[in-house]
Amino acid sequence: MEDINEKQKEVAETKVCPFCRKEISIEATKCPYCQSTLITDKNAKLILMSSLGLFLISFGAFIFFISIFSAVFGINVTQYVWWLIIPFALGFIWKKQKMGQQKKIESSPSLKKIPLLIWALILLVAPIVIVGVIFLGIVIMAPAPSNRNSAPVINTPAQQKGIQVTAIQLATDYEANEIAADTKYKDQIVEVTGTIKDISKDILGAPYIILSGDPNSITDVQCTFDKSKQNQLIPLTKDTKITLLGKVSRKLLNVRVDECSIIQ
Ligand SMILES: [Zn+2]
């Protein structure tokens, strides 16, 4: 009788570690044999909070990394960062679910412990890979006129006469019929005259000027310059008239004119 009572008492005071199957104290929150963190009602909240903390730290580190990346390569990718919260959130949800699973099937030996360090690495590496893919996508899809040296002719604008057109006319033609406008202008050298609406840099760091199109439409003319010609844009001011020589590439939101140089 005494033996049975003692045995029952012993059973109630121990449990089996779901990771290494060793018998441990019922109140243990960490397995003394395999160092696994065990989820009990007592520490579940703590584990969740530490996961959340890890998630926030990783995300902060990631934002930091992206900022450095942007600064070093002169590419503004920060505008794409915010939706990358998705993989982080998915990782967090997964972690939470895994915890639920462990609780449900405490006795399952198939669950393996993922150390926090590995977790931090996963949280950091996955978004970096995603950013890399996005970055590659941007580089491949962009017309990338900035690095081409294939336009020496345009560097001597006096010798080259393009199609003379106003920015308003160019924008209006594209607005009216993109196919007709492409036939007329695409890949052609144009001498486009217009009023400067904006002077800025695109996501690849290429400087550009926006020439106002028809004030009644949203289409403007975006004239992109090689990075080496950036200095030409310094003395320019908005709302002044300018004539540029460049090659019409395509219409996205604006009509794009690439490989531009300033005539006057
Ligand atoms: Zn264990």
Side-chain angles (χ1 to χ4, degrees):
M1 276 293 274
E2 214 180 62
D3 266 14
I4 294 166
N5 274 346
E6 231 165 69
K7 183 128 195 177
Q8 274 177 342
K9 209 178 163 192
E10 203 189 335
V11 167
E13 278 172 357
T14 60
K15 63 181 173 183
V16 174
C17 169
F19 300 107
C20 69
R21 314 290 295 159
K22 289 241 167 63
E23 204 168 271
I24 54 173
S25 163
I26 190 92
E27 283 174 14
T29 54
K30 191 165 198 164
C31 174
Y33 300 103
C34 70
Q35 310 300 318
S36 296
T37 302
L38 302 166
I39 296 159
T40 65
D41 288 336
K42 278 181 190 169
N43 71 354
K45 213 170 194 174
L46 191 74
I47 291 173
L48 193 65
M49 290 310 281
S50 64
S51 305
L52 184 65
L54 184 68
F55 161 76
L56 289 174
I57 290 165
S58 303
F59 193 69
F62 175 67
I63 296 288
F64 178 73
F65 170 83
I66 281 297
S67 310
I68 297 287
F69 184 84
S70 301
V72 170
F73 292 97
I75 298 158
N76 180 15
V77 289
T78 46
Q79 57 189 306
Y80 297 95
V81 162
W82 292 109
W83 61 262
L84 284 170
I85 200 163
I86 293 165
F88 279 109
L90 286 177
F92 185 64
I93 290 164
W94 182 58
K95 174 88 176 166
K96 213 180 147 189
Q97 262 188 351
K98 209 174 75 78
M99 274 173 57
Q101 262 177 12
Q102 193 195 330
K103 250 182 137 179
K104 226 184 277 171
I105 40 167
E106 278 281 63
S107 55
S108 166
S110 63
L111 282 171
K112 279 191 181 152
K113 185 184 172 235
I114 300 176
L116 286 186
L117 187 69
I118 304 275
W119 250 100
L121 281 175
I122 291 169
L123 283 173
L124 277 172
V125 169
I128 288 166
V129 168
I130 291 166
V131 165
V133 170
I134 293 166
F135 174 65
L136 267 177
I138 292 169
V139 170
I140 291 165
M141 280 165 65
S146 46
N147 292 331
R148 259 186 246 154
N149 294 323
S150 61
V153 186
I154 296 175
N155 290 336
T156 54
Q159 295 171 7
Q160 177 113 21
K161 285 263 173 177
I163 304 165
Q164 292 195 347
V165 66
T166 63
I168 292 171
Q169 187 63 50
L170 189 60
T172 308
D173 283 355
Y174 264 94
E175 186 98 321
N177 184 339
E178 203 175 322
I179 296 162
D182 261 350
T183 313
K184 193 174 172 186
Y185 299 112
K186 193 167 170 62
D187 297 327
Q188 298 296 312
I189 303 292
V190 291
E191 215 180 290
V192 58
T193 304
T195 308
I196 299 173
K197 187 180 181 181
D198 192 20
I199 307 159
S200 188
K201 273 183 188 181
D202 69 15
I203 53 163
L204 293 169
Y208 68 81
I209 297 175
I210 300 280
L211 299 180
S212 299
D214 185 348
N216 296 319
S217 93
I218 56 156
T219 306
D220 292 318
V221 177
Q222 179 170 342
C223 307
T224 308
F225 289 73
D226 191 282
K227 273 183 199 171
S228 64
K229 290 181 181 168
Q230 193 165 313
N231 288 346
Q232 294 186 8
L233 275 64
I234 292 171
L236 301 179
T237 48
K238 286 182 189 179
D239 300 321
T240 54
K241 219 176 169 193
I242 194 167
T243 300
L244 304 162
L245 194 71
K247 195 161 99 181
V248 177
S249 69
R250 60 176 174 176
K251 181 180 182 289
L252 290 167
L253 182 65
N254 293 326
V255 179
R256 284 201 52 159
V257 182
D258 290 332
E259 301 167 23
C260 286
S261 54
I262 296 168
I263 297 181
Q264 60 183 18

